[in-house]
Amino acid sequence: MNIVLFGKPGSGKGTQAPRLAEALGVPTLATGNVLRDAVKAGTPLGREAKAFMDRGDLVPDQVILGIIRDELAKSEYARGVILDGVVRTVPQAEGLAAMLEGLGRAVDAVVSFEVPDEEIVKRMSSRTVCSTCQTPYSGRQPGDTCEKCGGTLGRRSDDEPEAVRNRLKVFQAQTSPVFDWYRRNGGRLVVVDATGAVGDVTQRVMHALGR
Ligand SMILES: [Zn+2]
């Protein structure tokens, strides 16, 4: 079972990914992690990616998809994968479909985590991060003390309401075409209400997937 997780920043994809992995018995693959690992391991594509990063450029989709393809060839992904953060644009959706086809696989379902914008703004602005060790907290105030290192908690500037609303606008513009693309190309779109308790959201996803 090959699943793509899809949702606004702050919609809880990253929280749900490991829970779904356990429930479905397939590993997760997050773009940021495999990219970091490939760069560290110095694979040919990892070195290519590093050259872009060193110049301060975005790593092109084709390089990232190549790195994901190398990873998916490993035996632990034989039964499927939960892809987190892989598809945000139409070219990425197209590239992923072509890459999976080359492996004799396909996207079985795209799970979209639906959270109203104002709920996301609320979630982000209740998030603080330790300015020393970067541990994230939820429901703590800026100026509180970090339990791990005694550092001071602060709010990241891109978690401020105005910045969050801007990111949501950019996301909306990029991603509604992705939805249309999957509809036209016969992908199975699973839309899940991602508000409420973490465990409830996991259950909704499993139910929507027919598990
Ligand atoms: Zn700390």
Coordinates of all heavy atoms in Angstrom, one line a residue, residues 130 133 146 149, ligand 1:
C130 N 12.2 26.1 22.2 CA 13.3 26.5 23.0 C 14.4 27.2 22.2 O 14.8 26.6 21.2 CB 13.9 25.3 23.7 SG 15.4 25.7 24.6
C133 N 17.8 24.7 22.7 CA 17.9 23.3 22.2 C 16.8 23.0 21.1 O 16.7 21.9 20.6 CB 17.8 22.3 23.3 SG 16.1 22.1 24.0
C146 N 12.5 26.0 29.3 CA 12.6 24.7 28.7 C 12.8 23.6 29.8 O 13.7 23.8 30.6 CB 13.7 24.7 27.7 SG 14.0 23.1 26.9
C149 N 16.5 21.9 29.0 CA 17.9 22.5 29.1 C 17.8 23.8 29.9 O 18.8 24.4 30.1 CB 18.5 22.7 27.7 SG 17.8 24.1 26.8
Ligands
ZN1 ZN 15.8 23.7 25.7

